[in-house]
């Protein structure tokens, strides 16, 4: 029986990436909030879950990430908002990181839809990012999502942030 020395074997395939989830969680049967038409506005982000060692802070809907390379996916629901989209915004450098899907959420018959955005980004210094939306119709209380009253927290906007390096 010959044993092979595995000490120099590349183990990258077994290293688990660090993933954090930054979400807007609300109490059961609480609506997502009023959508406001016009310019880009922030989606609420209030909870961090998962591995968060690479997140410096979460305050006022802004997530500050340590320098590094990240894969970020964002999504947010909308109700009766007409033309709607989301984007990832670099709050530190006042620039758009990625433009999300354009979607149309019919305003006449209680329609619901989700917009998504994603990309890979390298930040050379700590960088504050946020998820923003823009829509055509102001919808009071539930334009940013409808409370389902299913006995659990309501999840509205969310970011999945994977630290690549």
């Amino acid at each position: 029986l010959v044993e092979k020395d595995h000490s120099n074997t590349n183990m990258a395939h077994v290293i688990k990436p660090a993933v954090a989830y930054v979400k807007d969680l609300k109490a059961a049967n609480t609506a997502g909030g009023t959508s406001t038409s016009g310019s880009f506005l922030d989606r609420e982000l209030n909870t961090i879950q998962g591995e968060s060692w690479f997140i410096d802070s979460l305050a006022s809907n802004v997530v500050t990430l340590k320098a590094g390379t990240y894969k970020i996916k964002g999504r947010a629901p909308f109700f009766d908002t007409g033309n709607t989209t989301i984007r990832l915004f670099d709050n530190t450098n006042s620039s758009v990181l990625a433009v999300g899907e354009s979607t149309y959420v019919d305003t006449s018959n209680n329609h619901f839809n989700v917009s998504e955005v994603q990309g890979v980004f390298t930040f050379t210094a700590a960088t504050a990012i946020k998820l923003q939306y823009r829509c055509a119709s102001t919808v009071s209380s539930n334009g940013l999502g409808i409370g389902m009253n299913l006995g659990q927290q309501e999840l509205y906007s969310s970011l999945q942030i994977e630290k690549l390096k």
Side-chain angles (χ1 to χ4, degrees):
L1 177 66
V2 176
E3 268 199 49
K4 186 175 179 184
D5 178 13
H6 294 285
S7 61
N8 290 326
T9 303
N10 182 348
M11 299 299 288
H13 65 284
V14 297
I15 297 172
K16 185 181 96 176
V19 180
Y21 299 91
V22 183
K23 303 175 178 182
D24 173 18
L25 288 174
K26 297 188 182 334
N29 204 31
T30 301
T34 298
S35 63
T36 303
S37 66
S39 60
F40 277 93
L41 300 168
D42 299 347
R43 284 298 303 238
E44 186 172 346
L45 297 169
N46 57 30
T47 303
I48 299 173
Q49 297 175 332
E51 296 185 53
S52 60
W53 57 266
F54 52 86
I55 295 176
D56 279 341
S57 66
L58 170 61
S60 301
N61 308 316
V62 177
V63 181
T64 303
L65 302 173
K66 296 180 186 302
T69 300
Y70 297 90
K71 180 171 153 181
I72 304 172
K73 296 179 183 179
R75 67 187 327 254
F78 296 92
F79 178 74
D80 283 355
T81 54
N83 296 332
T84 304
T85 191
I86 61 174
R87 71 183 185 183
L88 290 172
F89 189 78
D90 176 340
N91 205 47
T92 300
N93 301 296
S94 298
S95 62
V96 176
L97 291 170
V99 175
E101 297 172 343
S102 297
T103 187
Y104 179 74
V105 189
D106 193 337
T107 59
S108 62
N109 291 316
N110 297 327
H111 285 90
F112 172 86
N113 209 340
V114 173
S115 183
E116 297 182 338
V117 63
Q118 63 181 336
V120 174
F121 314 98
T122 299
F123 305 120
T124 57
T127 302
I129 64 167
K130 54 188 175 179
L131 183 64
Q132 295 184 312
Y133 78 96
R134 185 173 183 182
C135 65
S137 297
T138 296
V139 180
S140 181
S141 95
N142 62 9
L144 302 181
I146 299 171
M148 296 283 110
N149 198 23
L150 296 175
Q152 63 184 23
Q153 287 183 302
E154 306 289 350
L155 170 61
Y156 295 108
S157 52
S158 63
L159 295 174
Q160 176 182 323
I161 305 170
E162 183 177 341
K163 177 90 163 86
L164 299 178
K165 57 182 174 176

